[in-house]
Amino acid sequence: MHKLFSITLFYGISQLGMAENEPSAVFSADDVFNLEYVDAVQVAPDGKSVLYRRKSNDIMTDSTGSSIWMVDLAAASHRPLLTDYANYSWATWSPDGSRIAYVVTDDSRAQIQVYWLDTGRSAVVASVAKKPADLSWSPDNLSLAFTMKVPIKATPLVKPRIKPEHASWAEPAKVISSVRYQFDGRGIVAPESRQIFIVPAEGGTPRQLTQDGGPLSWTTNSRSVLFSANRHKNWELETIESDLFLVDTKSLELTQVTNDPGAESAGRFSPDGGSIVYISEENKPLAYRHRRLKVLSLEESTVQVLLGEADFSVSSALWSDAGRTISFQYDQKGRRKIGSVDLRNRFKEISDQVGGTSLGRPYLSGGFHYSNGTYAFSLADEGMPAELGVIQGGSSRKMTSLNEDVLGHKTLAKVTPVTYLSSLDNQVIHGWYLTPPDFDPTQKYPLILEIHGGPHSAYGNFFSAELQLLAAQGYIVFYDNYRGSTSYGAKFASLLQYKYASRDDFTDHMSGIDEMVKLGFVDENNLFVAGGSAGGIGAAFAIGLTNRFNAAVAAKPVINWISKTLTADSSVYQIRHQFPGMPWQHLDHYWSRSPLSQMASITTPTMILTGELDRRTPISESEQFYQALKLKGVDSVMVRLPDSSHGIAARPSRLIAKVDYILAWFERYRKSAPGLPD
């Protein structure tokens, strides 16, 4: 077989790497631990400096840590501010630009701290019980508002028994009475709510304002805080529902600002305090809905819809300094972009290069910030994870090169776009494929179809550690934004309403494979399929409809929609928006969309890979599929990742292990290709 490295199977694991101390000319597993990227950018109030969070993998702790760095744009100087072993988040400039507030967390603390730029010293403002979020300075620089989860007091069902002194009894029972009692990554949780607090910016005792959440925006007089919340009695059973409220920081008086059906969120006051820009989303029982940009005039009590005819969703809206335009983020045709619009509805694209913060797979990702004529954003530099990008006066600059030392001397797999028609209905489908670093178009290569999750999300042409590792082992890696993917308009995203998984999305994938075969360098006898989450569902469903794949890997899949919707943390949302009704009312519908319903046709060797703590697609789904495959006599293996939730590649070693297992499984069923050495 054609290999760039030798692969040794040991207890089912593919061990990838070069000989000890021998440098690799292509991207290798060891390189994953050296990757870094830029996120959480913040432009200084004067527009002359930018803060960013530097996310770095650490081989010794098998984790991704964070530090805070600052770039002086005029001098192009780049210096660290906070770089010890803690994790930093929510770094936020004070309005006068003299200080930076941030959240620091590690195994022993959760604190809000403030850093003074003139002295380089920092101080603890508040130590709290749980991690704070949504930090927001008051315009007068005197106070910080934040949100934090607080337990909801409940009346015990039974009175606890008193045990004898020194007695050792079993742990008490956990009593669950709330609808939303579990969350992926956190497990079963006691009832709690996100509440708003304020604390003096020079330190003091946090004071609770409300029993609601953020993000937060202050009135210009530093008297009240704007927030979004669902204050309905039955909020646990509602999905897309919230309103904007004001809370007076002195009297704690609440004023409801909006009352429309659906969700109004991310409200921000204009510089003069006379208007509020916010994001509005209708609460339709559909899996995809556009989010619209709206402006509320407080004086006139009127609401203006901006970009109402645009066929994309908006997010992260920020006022310009003079309040004449609004900058925002949106996704379009596999790209994340920054745009601006004025109050006369005149639209302008600012950048289409946002991304690169999803290291594992090439999802649309990243964000931006704006102040005083300067844009800063996570720059999707081709072939690299996110760097710091800056736009001033219409001119774009890359301000960092965090990964040049790791990737600059590597020969990476090349990413090429491809567009084709689905044989189902001639729908235009957009995709990409990676070719191995030593690619020779006169040879034949095995192909891996990699299906994205969601399904209402999207891939793009971004750096992907997982796909680079697959391609480095001699595979063509093909991925597409099949029907239902976001960034191609509401109609395209809605093509999978009540149809995921189905023959429709399956046909999009297979049409793409046929298109790839036409290019002449794909070996039809060596086709493989893999995917995670919704992609795992797609992979499992596909092998019930075709036997063209040599082998499949279904990572964290849904196998039985009836059991999944009644055991997962996403049940309330999923039942309302992705199905026509309750499982017991539409049993046949749920079953027909379940890969388990295709078992009679499945013969493809299959690996199932899931975190044991997954509550988004519980491991019981994988167990059902594994047992069904074994009972049917299909070659299969279940790989269980201890202490891992739905994000199975969240730690660097787990990202590597995920690829190792996929390659080991595919190598077992990979046939020798004509023209390539064994």
Side-chain angles (χ1 to χ4, degrees):
M1 299 179 195
H2 177 64
K3 298 185 181 73
L4 294 174
F5 305 143
S6 62
I7 297 179
T8 302
L9 299 184
F10 179 70
Y11 292 111
I13 304 177
S14 169
Q15 307 296 322
L16 304 182
M18 300 295 291
E20 188 175 1
N21 298 324
E22 182 180 348
S24 170
V26 299
F27 186 73
S28 65
D30 290 342
D31 295 323
V32 171
F33 287 105
N34 298 318
L35 295 176
E36 299 182 286
Y37 64 91
V38 169
D39 77 348
V41 297
Q42 284 278 311
V43 183
D46 62 7
K48 296 179 180 179
S49 301
V50 176
L51 290 176
Y52 74 89
R53 182 168 60 176
R54 185 168 178 166
K55 301 284 282 186
S56 307
N57 289 340
D58 182 0
I59 195 171
M60 300 307 295
T61 62
D62 189 22
S63 62
T64 303
S66 61
S67 54
I68 305 298
W69 290 63
M70 186 173 74
V71 175
D72 183 308
L73 299 181
S77 64
H78 186 208
R79 63 188 178 99
L81 298 185
L82 305 162
T83 58
D84 61 18
Y85 292 102
N87 276 301
Y88 297 97
S89 59
W90 296 102
T92 309
W93 292 92
S94 62
D96 63 6
S98 66
R99 288 167 287 171
I100 298 162
Y102 55 93
V103 171
V104 56
T105 55
D106 55 26
D107 293 337
S108 62
R109 58 179 170 164
Q111 295 177 338
I112 298 172
Q113 297 187 8
V114 169
Y115 180 94
W116 275 259
L117 287 161
D118 59 350
T119 64
R121 302 292 297 273
S122 61
V124 176
V125 170
S127 293
V128 290
K130 293 193 175 184
K131 182 179 179 179
D134 302 305
L135 281 190
S136 179
W137 286 86
S138 61
D140 60 11
N141 300 284
L142 297 179
S143 301
L144 283 162
F146 64 95
T147 65
M148 184 176 66
K149 290 181 178 178
V150 175
I152 298 174
K153 293 182 180 180
T155 303
L157 186 62
V158 299
K159 184 178 180 180
R161 296 287 181 176
I162 300 175
K163 63 182 180 181
E165 188 176 0
H166 306 304
S168 178
W169 287 11
E171 286 197 22
K174 295 179 180 179
V175 180
I176 298 170
S177 59
S178 56
V179 176
R180 304 186 185 191
Y181 67 92
Q182 62 172 331
F183 296 94
D184 185 66
R186 298 169 58 201
I188 294 176
V189 299
E192 59 185 8
S193 64
R194 183 166 290 279
Q195 302 180 10
I196 301 173
F197 297 79
I198 63 169
V199 64
E202 294 185 354
T205 302
R207 181 165 61 93
Q208 183 178 327
L209 299 182
T210 73
Q211 296 184 1
D212 304 285
L216 311 175
S217 179
W218 288 80
T219 52
T220 54
N221 63 3
S222 301
R223 178 67 185 265
S224 299
V225 176
L226 181 72
F227 64 95
S228 174
N230 182 348
R231 298 180 61 83
H232 297 170
K233 182 178 180 181
N234 294 322
W235 66 270
E236 282 193 297
L237 292 170
E238 295 180 336
T239 52
I240 313 300
E241 196 64 58
S242 62
D243 298 296
L244 297 178
F245 295 85
L246 270 175
V247 57
D248 188 293
T249 60
K250 304 295 184 184
S251 68
L252 305 188
E253 179 183 356
L254 277 178
T255 302
Q256 186 162 350
V257 178
T258 65
N259 191 27
D260 296 335
E264 296 90 61
S265 61
R268 293 181 182 273
F269 282 102
S270 60
D272 63 4
S275 299
I276 297 172
V277 63
Y278 62 95
I279 307 297
S280 175
E281 185 175 0
E282 293 182 298
N283 192 1
K284 294 180 178 179
L286 301 173
Y288 179 83
R289 305 152 307 278
H290 275 334
R291 296 182 300 276
R292 296 297 185 195
L293 194 63
K294 294 185 177 181
V295 175
L296 168 64
S297 169
L298 297 175
E299 181 178 348
E300 300 175 3
S301 298
T302 58
V303 174
Q304 180 183 5
V305 181
L306 298 177
L307 302 170
E309 301 301 317
D311 196 12
F312 54 70
S313 283
V314 300
S315 61
S316 303
L318 299 171
W319 288 95
S320 70
D321 301 84
R324 293 189 297 268
T325 61
I326 297 162
S327 298
F328 59 92
Q329 188 171 282
Y330 65 106
D331 297 336
Q332 196 170 51
K333 295 185 178 180
R335 301 294 298 179
R336 176 151 293 178
K337 301 182 177 183
I338 304 169
S340 71
V341 61
D342 64 19
L343 299 182
R344 297 171 62 182
N345 237 341
R346 292 179 297 191
F347 165 75
K348 180 182 179 181
E349 179 181 307
I350 304 298
S351 175
D352 67 349
Q353 295 184 292
V354 181
T357 64
S358 175
L359 287 185
R361 289 179 286 163
Y363 282 110
L364 273 62
S365 63
F368 84 101
H369 191 248
Y370 172 88
S371 183
N372 201 23
T374 299
Y375 288 92
F377 57 99
S378 299
L379 171 64
D381 193 31
E382 186 174 351
M384 300 277 186
E387 300 288 354
L388 175 62
V390 169
I391 298 174
Q392 291 178 307
S395 177
S396 181
R397 290 185 289 164
K398 186 178 79 166
M399 304 303 300
T400 61
S401 296
L402 303 186
N403 294 282
E404 186 65 29
D405 57 333
V406 181
L407 302 177
H409 60 286
K410 301 283 184 177
T411 302
L412 296 177
K414 180 182 178 182
V415 183
T416 303
V418 59
T419 302
Y420 59 93
L421 300 179
S422 174
S423 62
L424 178 70
D425 53 7
N426 286 328
Q427 188 68 232
V428 177
I429 307 296
H430 188 196
W432 296 262
Y433 62 91
L434 283 76
T435 49
D438 64 346
F439 177 65
D440 179 353
T442 67
Q443 303 292 333
K444 296 279 189 179
Y445 294 83
L447 179 142
I448 298 173
L449 164 65
E450 213 288 331
I451 306 174
H452 74 62
H456 302 292
S457 61
Y459 277 162
N461 183 3
F462 305 110
F463 176 85
S464 164
E466 293 181 31
L467 303 195
Q468 285 288 337
L469 289 173
L470 293 173
Q473 296 303 308
Y475 288 87
I476 301 290
V477 184
F478 166 66
Y479 59 95
D480 59 45
N481 281 338
Y482 53 94
R483 67 189 62 218
S485 299
T486 54
S487 78
Y488 297 90
K491 182 179 179 181
F492 187 85
S494 300
L495 290 174
L496 279 188
Q497 184 66 39
Y498 303 148
K499 289 185 179 181
Y500 194 76
S502 71
R503 190 173 290 273
D504 292 18
D505 50 277
F506 164 79
T507 305
D508 292 348
H509 302 315
M510 302 312 292
S511 298
I513 289 177
D514 292 339
E515 191 72 20
M516 292 298 299
V517 170
K518 291 178 185 177
L519 297 176
F521 47 74
V522 170
D523 179 9
E524 288 191 84
N525 294 316
N526 274 310
L527 302 179
F528 302 88
V529 60
S533 195
I537 306 167
F541 206 89
I543 59 176
L545 297 176
T546 185
N547 61 2
R548 289 180 65 183
F549 297 108
N550 297 32
V553 174
K556 49 193 181 181
V558 172
I559 298 302
N560 181 348
W561 279 111
I562 300 167
S563 57
K564 192 274 183 185
T565 50
L566 296 176
T567 56
D569 66 349
S570 54
S571 61
V572 174
Y573 178 90
Q574 210 150 34
I575 290 171
R576 171 169 167 74
H577 293 280
Q578 294 185 333
F579 290 92
M582 295 294 180
W584 52 88
Q585 295 171 324
H586 299 272
L587 198 66
D588 290 344
H589 181 93
Y590 279 71
W591 181 246
S592 67
R593 288 171 56 183
S594 302
L596 199 60
S597 70
Q598 306 289 329
M599 277 307 304
S601 304
I602 294 178
T603 60
T604 304
T606 303
M607 171 183 283
I608 311 149
L609 197 157
T610 305
E612 291 190 322
L613 302 182
D614 195 327
R615 292 184 178 271
R616 184 62 42 82
T617 54
I619 199 167
S620 57
E621 295 295 305
S622 294
E623 291 168 339
Q624 290 180 67
F625 198 29
Y626 176 70
Q627 299 214 96
L629 289 165
K630 286 298 187 184
L631 290 170
K632 193 170 182 291
V634 177
D635 193 13
S636 54
V637 61
M638 177 169 55
V639 179
R640 303 167 66 100
L641 299 176
D643 301 318
S644 181
S645 55
H646 195 62
I648 57 175
R651 304 184 73 170
S653 71
R654 283 284 165 81
L655 186 156
I656 295 167
K658 177 185 175 183
V659 176
D660 283 350
Y661 279 109
I662 291 172
L663 284 168
W665 190 247
F666 289 171
E667 285 295 311
R668 180 179 292 184
Y669 297 98
R670 179 172 165 178
K671 303 172 185 177
S672 295
L676 291 180
D678 288 339

